[in-house]
Amino acid sequence: MITPRTTRLVRVPDLYTFRQATVDLACSGTPFEARNRLVVVPTRAAAAYLLRSIESRLPASDGALALPDLVTPGELAARLGERLLHHPVLLTDTEREVLAGVACRTAIDEGSAPPFRLRAGLIAEMMRFYDTLQRHLKSVDTFERLTLGALEPGAAEDRGAERLVRQTRFLVGAFRHFERLLETTGGMDEHALRRRLVGEPAPDPWRHVVLAVGDDASDRHGLCPADWDLLTRVPGLERIDLVATDAMVAGAFHARIHRLLPGIEETRLAIDGRRPPPVLLVPPGGGLTHTARDREEEVAGFARWVRREVRSTDAGAISDVNRMALVVRHPLPYVYLAREVLSAAGIPSQMFDALPLASEPHAAALDVVIDFVRGNFGRRPAIALLRSPHFRFVPGRLPPSLLRSFGAPRKPATTSEGEVASALDPVDVAVLDRALSDAGYLGDIETLERLVAAWREQKPGSRPGGLRAAEVVLDAARQLAPLRSAAPCAAQLAHLLAFLRRHEHLPRADDPLRPRQLRGRAAVLDALTGLRDAYARFDQLAVDFDAVAAVIRRWIDAHTFAPRIGEDGVHLVDAESARFGDFEGVQLAGLIDGEWPDTPRRNIFYPPALLRELGWPAETERLDGVRASFSDLLRLPSSRLVVSTFTLEDDAIVAASTLVDALPGAGLDTSEVGSPPVRIFDYEALGLDPVETRPLGSLAVAAAARRIEAIRTRRAGATGGHEMAAYSLNALERYQDCPFKFFAADVLRLEEPPEDEPMLSPRARGRFVHEVFQRFFEEWDARGHGTITVDRVDEARALFQDVAGPLLARFSEAEAMLERARLFGTAVSIGIVDVVLGLEASRPAPVRERWLEYRLEGPFSLGVPGGPRIPVKGVADRIDLLDGDRLRVIDYKSGYAPNPKRALQAPIYALCAQERLAERDGRPWRIDEAAYVAFAGKRPLVPVVRPGAADADEVLRSARTRVMDVVDGIGRGEFPPRPYDPRICSYCAYPSVCRKDYVGDD
Ligand code: SF4
């Protein structure tokens, strides 16, 4: 039975009276009436603000007053359903999507294939489309009739229309199967509930509904036509009050509301104390809006204003930061920015808004595990898993005696919470990272097993330090390996959940981030559990892990998370919720095109004209709603208003919103912000002249003082003097390239991050090539073959093959094939062996003695007897001692040869060898040649000192001078980021630590 009801449109002039009227209506009458009253507000944040207003009205002694129920439009049907005799449990969104997936497959099996590839995200979009149809009171039959009626006539000639027809048939088929599945499984969703609510009186119905929202045509949080229809027909409801400002009903909403609620009466609530509009604070020098460079600067501007108000002694100044708000159209990215900027300015803040769950640390931790499985347990995801603070892995598979041989404690340490602490050391993880990279490990559990087995067989002293970490990775990979085979989604999710729970590492009890992290963890685990249960109930199809990962990621991306940040301080609030807040000062921020008003969400299935046929609201109605809302917000604060925009979004120029055109006609008095800028951030205190360190914390003051003194007295990039026991030529060349690069690699000993190579790493290949040449020449010389001449090249090549064979056998088949091709060439390329033998044969100097991989270590005067001696260390690839007391130095480069004018290795090795030979033989030796043989680039032979060249002494002197200069620079502690050519920065490993942005500032 439908009961008669009173429907009223309560009109109010502004947001102040809107809030008063809503509170009055929410609290009116007896406690019994309040208990049967629903107040519909746009968001949970709005509900929290309204509740504060209600509580502020209550006398202190009246704390037990019954409050109405505050709901959002999305919760309305379910809350009405709670009063039914057997109140239904609605299917969750997860369960509906799983059912929709089954329905889609059935539709495809029956021949209605969609013109697109079905993915988890598309199924979600389909359900959104289905819900919107239902909320606009369009059944599947009506959708089919209207859509096919519009599309079929042109489908024969128009391929686009024909595609839409196929899409419509698929959607219709899937939606019908979905509704059938709902019936057969006994599930109920919001649409079925609305039908039940209309036909089944509740024994104790809700009797009064107060609406503080508009309709969904003009308000993105408004009620849909199905809700308006429900409110007019649900039995037992006696009264509906819709509260709306004059701005809201000034446009088409007025006519629509009379259509949606036939017979609605209009009234004005008499509310005392209408207050004057706020003063608009404008920037000095003209204009009504404050324009910042970007969002961050805009929030910084808000922080400055807050500080100015709080410090001001003006009569009208706002002294309480709790009464100020930053109001934005879209909370993202302001929720993150505001937290950073406001806390940097020392301003407390509070926000109710939901944050994306995907940005919570636990969601990132879940991603790490997913990547580990999808990446086939490869090096990068494996190391990321070991380094994640959200997991704790204890090496447990090794026998204790073996563990102790790696330095593990005899008894596992325990934390304050009594947990067994991880014995895994971060150093082990770093070592494993390097070892896996050097081994060319790209994933695959069998390869990992082989590697770990090989490392375990090595003697204790020579085992890689990261073996314990490798054991952990292998153990984790074995636990997750079942996920790499197809299985029902529920089983895969259960397996994943078990892994997460087994290895999770919760923050310590005294960790300030613990509450938030625990809530984030609970939200992630809830999402996974909900998915597992939904699939277990409705869909047992076996799928591979990629499909499971797509479903998980879609759900995590779609979920939000409400951490309730801050208890007091300035408010960060979205425009709809702000209507319910009581503020003295408000900044309307982010007034850019595409945000105020926002760009409408695009429907991916049909064009706007067809959607209008299906009941989608017109764009003009939406824009009217945004304008009305903006006009209301201009009078939201009781005292002061600021309106701001910005010009750069991600380096793209953005235009100001057209809504700012409404400011001149808003009837607001203006006042110029005249106070001088206030320094509120540390960077301002330190970066502006004169430097002001007083506002910084004591630790920062001390650090800043040291830094200021260092800048005043010394040049950038300087440290205390540095001396090395011995200088490797590689390190000296590094300093020559860029002093900071030397500092990072050789003083700080920062390791370059390992890279995944599809085959051998460059370092491993270099070692291999050097070893092959060393073995070849040793064998050649041992056989007494002497000089390699043209007629002995074939013999040399054959020996090379004999020598290389056993070395190549160490590699996998694919790696060996590739390295063999590099050494011996292919039909289209010349091999390294042929390059070297060709060079040897073209200059057949008789070699008296050959030093291979010859270690040069100790103090050398580098060609100036009696001069200062430099401690040098290095290994020369090859030093040939020729007839006539001449020597030749050859250095092999697996890549390109260095620029001969900058090269140090070949000439300095030659000088060292010359010195050593003179000491040995008691007579002088002459440097005949120093050259590089490069296996990449156009020139295989790059000489530094040419045989018989007149400038040989000059070249060697220059190399010595450069070495002395470099050693002096190191001794003085000069390590500025000063690349000899800025292009080397693009492949340098240290750009993140050297502040290379400042290169060239001196
Ligand atoms: S990135 Fe450039 S400036 Fe920085 S350390 Fe490397 S080479 Fe030097």
Side-chain angles (χ1 to χ4, degrees):
M1 183 190 68
I2 307 289
T3 48
R5 67 204 61 199
T6 308
T7 51
R8 290 195 311 165
L9 170 60
V10 181
R11 295 183 63 156
V12 289
D14 56 24
L15 288 181
Y16 171 67
T17 43
F18 172 83
R19 216 168 39 248
Q20 302 293 317
T22 308
V23 172
D24 281 352
L25 288 166
C27 301
S28 63
T30 64
F32 171 77
E33 287 172 318
R35 269 197 296 273
N36 291 315
R37 177 178 296 132
L38 280 176
V39 180
V40 184
V41 291
T43 61
R44 292 313 315 168
Y49 281 117
L50 187 61
L51 206 56
R52 283 185 184 185
S53 296
I54 292 173
E55 284 166 354
S56 69
R57 283 273 195 96
L58 297 179
S61 58
D62 218 348
L65 190 82
L67 292 172
D69 214 339
L70 308 185
V71 294
T72 63
E75 299 162 347
L76 177 62
R79 196 58 57 87
L80 290 170
E82 286 172 8
R83 294 283 174 103
L84 291 175
L85 190 55
H86 301 290
H87 88 78
V89 178
L90 295 188
L91 289 178
T92 62
D93 289 348
T94 318
E95 289 168 329
R96 291 179 81 234
E97 267 191 35
V98 173
L99 273 183
V102 177
C104 288
R105 287 206 304 270
T106 315
I108 293 169
D109 290 346
E110 288 180 353
S112 301
F116 46 74
R117 192 168 70 79
L118 209 53
R119 299 189 301 273
L122 269 173
I123 294 175
E125 278 301 316
M126 281 176 55
M127 288 318 290
R128 196 191 311 275
F129 182 68
Y130 172 80
D131 287 339
T132 314
L133 279 175
Q134 299 290 314
R135 287 173 190 156
H136 285 96
L137 303 170
K138 296 288 182 294
S139 66
V140 176
D141 288 348
T142 311
F143 161 59
E144 181 182 31
R145 179 172 49 77
L146 291 176
T147 312
L148 291 183
L151 292 169
E152 275 183 335
E157 289 89 40
D158 181 345
R159 283 182 60 192
E162 184 272 331
R163 195 172 186 279
L164 289 180
V165 166
R166 272 193 291 139
Q167 172 182 283
T168 305
R169 295 211 170 104
F170 164 70
L171 291 176
V172 167
F175 292 160
R176 286 205 176 114
H177 282 298
F178 173 73
E179 291 182 344
R180 225 166 282 146
L181 280 169
L182 276 185
E183 273 177 38
T184 52
T185 56
M188 177 167 284
D189 64 1
E190 60 162 278
H191 315 301
L193 175 62
R194 283 198 191 92
R195 289 191 288 276
R196 186 172 157 197
L197 279 168
V198 170
E200 181 182 328
D204 177 23
W206 296 98
R207 298 181 188 279
H208 183 195
V209 172
V210 179
L211 299 172
V213 293
D215 68 343
D216 68 352
S218 57
D219 179 352
R220 60 181 166 171
H221 296 293
L223 292 181
C224 62
D227 281 333
W228 293 106
D229 180 64
L230 176 65
L231 290 176
T232 58
R233 295 164 65 203
V234 64
L237 183 61
E238 295 165 0
R239 186 174 154 199
I240 302 171
D241 283 309
L242 167 63
V243 190
T245 63
D246 287 339
M248 282 171 74
V249 289
F253 178 59
H254 193 229
R256 283 201 308 275
I257 204 62
H258 279 273
R259 217 172 38 243
L260 292 166
L261 297 175
I264 189 169
E265 298 164 19
E266 295 196 23
T267 181
R268 276 190 176 275
L269 217 60
I271 290 182
D272 294 336
R274 208 177 148 187
R275 62 186 192 192
V279 173
L280 179 65
L281 298 182
V282 298
L288 297 177
T289 53
H290 297 252
T291 305
R293 186 192 59 216
D294 53 25
R295 285 187 206 267
E296 191 170 347
E297 198 178 85
E298 188 184 30
V299 179
F302 172 69
R304 269 181 248 285
W305 176 40
V306 173
R307 274 298 174 86
R308 223 171 3 234
E309 290 287 348
V310 172
R311 287 177 189 175
S312 172
T313 50
D314 290 357
I318 306 166
S319 57
D320 182 1
V321 292
N322 291 289
R323 305 268 292 145
M324 299 186 75
L326 185 71
V327 176
V328 296
R329 180 87 179 139
H330 293 300
L332 288 177
Y334 283 102
V335 276
Y336 297 113
L337 269 182
R339 218 164 23 165
E340 295 265 315
V341 175
L342 294 175
S343 76
I347 296 173
S349 61
Q350 51 183 315
M351 46 192 91
F352 296 93
D353 259 301
L355 302 175
L357 181 57
S359 61
E360 288 302 302
H362 259 86
L366 172 62
D367 242 11
V368 167
V369 179
I370 291 175
D371 285 346
F372 184 52
V373 179
R374 294 188 67 207
N376 199 9
F377 315 118
R379 179 185 66 83
R380 278 176 197 276
I383 298 300
L385 184 68
L386 294 187
R387 285 182 173 150
S388 169
H390 300 284
F391 299 108
R392 179 174 52 86
F393 297 100
V394 180
R397 296 288 172 103
L398 292 174
S401 57
L402 195 56
L403 269 175
R404 277 198 296 279
S405 79
F406 301 142
R410 279 180 180 272
K411 276 190 187 168
T414 54
T415 67
S416 58
E417 292 179 323
E419 299 168 329
V420 176
S422 166
L424 207 53
D425 190 313
V427 175
D428 280 353
V429 179
V431 172
L432 173 67
D433 193 15
R434 177 72 57 193
L436 290 177
S437 170
D438 285 350
Y441 172 69
L442 293 174
D444 179 42
I445 201 163
E446 283 178 13
T447 312
L448 187 60
E449 278 171 345
R450 268 205 309 276
L451 273 176
V452 171
W455 289 341
R456 288 178 75 173
E457 277 166 16
Q458 291 177 18
K459 290 195 196 101
S462 57
R463 274 179 199 138
L467 179 54
R468 292 169 64 212
E471 288 280 351
V472 168
V473 173
L474 183 57
D475 192 26
R478 283 180 180 145
Q479 289 173 35
L480 292 168
L483 294 180
R484 294 204 42 91
S485 310
C489 203
Q492 302 242 34
L493 287 160
H495 200 93
L496 185 61
L497 272 163
F499 181 87
L500 295 175
R501 291 207 167 103
R502 191 176 314 136
H503 296 290
E504 70 182 356
H505 184 217
L506 302 180
R508 294 165 58 99
D510 57 354
D511 187 335
L513 295 176
R514 182 180 164 100
R516 179 168 176 180
Q517 289 212 13
L518 290 187
R519 282 199 297 270
R521 165 188 170 269
V524 168
L525 293 183
D526 275 358
L528 291 183
T529 311
L531 276 171
R532 180 200 62 193
D533 295 347
Y535 276 96
R537 187 173 167 197
F538 296 121
D539 190 356
Q540 292 298 326
L541 186 77
V543 292
D544 61 22
F545 189 70
D546 281 353
V548 180
V551 168
I552 293 172
R553 286 195 164 133
R554 199 211 88 56
W555 271 100
I556 298 287
D557 284 352
H559 265 65
T560 52
F561 164 75
R564 177 71 178 95
I565 300 162
E567 292 294 325
D568 57 14
V570 297
H571 301 252
L572 174 73
V573 57
D574 67 277
E576 281 80 10
S577 309
R579 299 163 70 83
F580 296 81
D582 182 13
F583 306 116
E584 273 188 75
V586 162
Q587 177 164 336
L588 300 180
L591 265 290
I592 58 161
D593 194 25
E595 197 153 314
W596 292 80
D598 42 359
T599 318
R601 193 172 196 281
R602 225 183 110 239
N603 184 292
I604 61 167
F605 295 113
Y606 295 103
L610 203 50
L611 294 173
R612 288 284 298 133
E613 289 285 308
L614 296 172
W616 264 243
E619 179 62 2
T620 49
E621 291 166 352
R622 194 182 70 84
L623 294 178
D624 279 353
V626 179
R627 276 191 213 105
S629 161
F630 182 72
S631 138
D632 279 339
L633 288 171
L634 292 180
R635 285 161 191 261
L636 171 65
S638 60
S639 175
R640 299 178 179 203
L641 174 75
V642 168
V643 179
S644 65
T645 181
F646 56 89
T647 52
L648 274 181
E649 175 90 303
D650 296 331
D651 292 340
I653 293 178
V654 288
S657 162
T658 52
L659 291 180
V660 299
D661 297 344
L663 284 175
L668 304 177
D669 288 339
T670 59
S671 168
E672 207 168 84
V673 182
S675 323
V678 187
R679 290 192 204 184
I680 58 169
F681 298 106
D682 290 355
Y683 67 82
E684 291 172 326
L686 291 168
L688 299 178
D689 249 355
V691 171
E692 175 60 85
T693 57
R694 268 178 311 167
L696 308 177
S698 57
L699 212 66
V701 168
R706 277 198 302 275
R707 186 79 192 134
I708 291 165
E709 181 60 12
I711 292 169
R712 196 177 63 75
T713 54
R714 299 153 71 176
R715 286 177 297 119
T719 70
H722 188 77
E723 256 192 52
M724 300 184 80
Y727 296 92
S728 83
L729 270 300
N730 275 331
L732 295 175
E733 283 186 344
R734 217 170 357 255
Y735 187 97
Q736 202 184 223
D737 286 350
C738 172
F740 191 89
K741 203 170 167 182
F742 168 88
F743 181 65
D746 301 277
V747 179
L748 299 180
R749 298 191 179 280
L750 303 179
E751 289 234 28
E752 295 188 17
E755 293 290 336
D756 276 341
E757 301 287 337
M759 289 292 158
L760 283 188
S761 67
R763 198 192 296 208
R765 181 173 308 123
R767 278 201 300 266
F768 165 70
V769 171
H770 279 80
E771 191 176 352
V772 174
F773 276 99
Q774 183 186 358
R775 297 261 177 102
F776 163 76
F777 280 114
E778 277 171 359
E779 191 60 32
W780 181 263
D781 292 344
R783 293 185 186 188
H785 289 325
T787 308
I788 298 173
T789 53
V790 174
D791 50 352
R792 306 194 74 176
V793 164
D794 288 344
E795 193 182 345
R797 201 172 193 283
L799 178 62
F800 222 114
Q801 271 173 335
D802 292 346
V803 168
L807 298 178
L808 285 167
R810 290 186 204 153
F811 301 138
S812 69
E813 204 176 314
E815 284 169 344
M817 202 185 307
L818 195 67
E819 294 311 317
R820 187 173 290 111
R822 283 186 213 278
L823 278 180
F824 298 105
T826 63
V828 292
S829 66
I830 186 162
I832 293 171
V833 170
D834 299 305
V835 169
V836 173
L837 295 182
L839 286 172
E840 293 292 325
S842 64
R843 304 166 313 143
V847 179
R848 201 197 294 169
E849 197 178 334
R850 195 169 345 245
W851 292 350
L852 296 169
E853 298 293 317
Y854 188 78
R855 181 164 290 280
L856 290 160
E857 199 159 357
F860 291 93
S861 58
L862 304 181
V864 181
R869 290 161 77 82
I870 306 288
V872 170
K873 64 173 179 187
V875 177
D877 291 342
R878 200 178 118 195
I879 300 172
D880 296 341
L881 309 188
L882 311 177
D883 286 342
D885 291 346
R886 293 172 300 129
L887 68 96
R888 172 168 74 188
V889 170
I890 299 291
D891 204 59
Y892 298 115
K893 290 284 169 205
S894 51
Y896 293 88
N899 178 345
K901 294 209 170 84
R902 301 182 51 78
L904 288 179
Q905 281 191 25
I908 297 298
Y909 284 150
L911 286 170
C912 293
Q914 182 188 40
E915 204 166 322
R916 179 128 325 154
L917 284 164
E919 282 167 11
R920 185 193 75 172
D921 299 344
R923 61 177 188 274
W925 278 70
R926 188 159 59 78
I927 296 171
D928 190 57
E929 184 178 6
Y932 292 97
V933 172
F935 304 139
K938 288 187 184 144
R939 293 168 59 205
L941 182 72
V942 178
V944 180
V945 177
R946 295 166 190 275
D951 66 349
D953 288 346
E954 179 52 38
V955 169
L956 292 167
R957 209 169 18 253
S958 155
R960 179 179 189 276
T961 307
R962 279 182 282 130
V963 165
M964 302 304 276
D965 288 349
V966 166
V967 170
D968 280 355
I970 295 169
R972 286 194 300 272
E974 289 178 2
F975 304 113
R978 193 180 58 213
Y980 83 92
D981 179 345
R983 277 177 299 182
I984 70 169
C985 297
S986 56
Y987 47 85
C988 172
Y990 307 108
S992 55
V993 286
C994 74
R995 304 186 191 176
K996 74 182 168 72
D997 295 352
Y998 303 106
V999 168
D1001 278 3
D1002 305 335

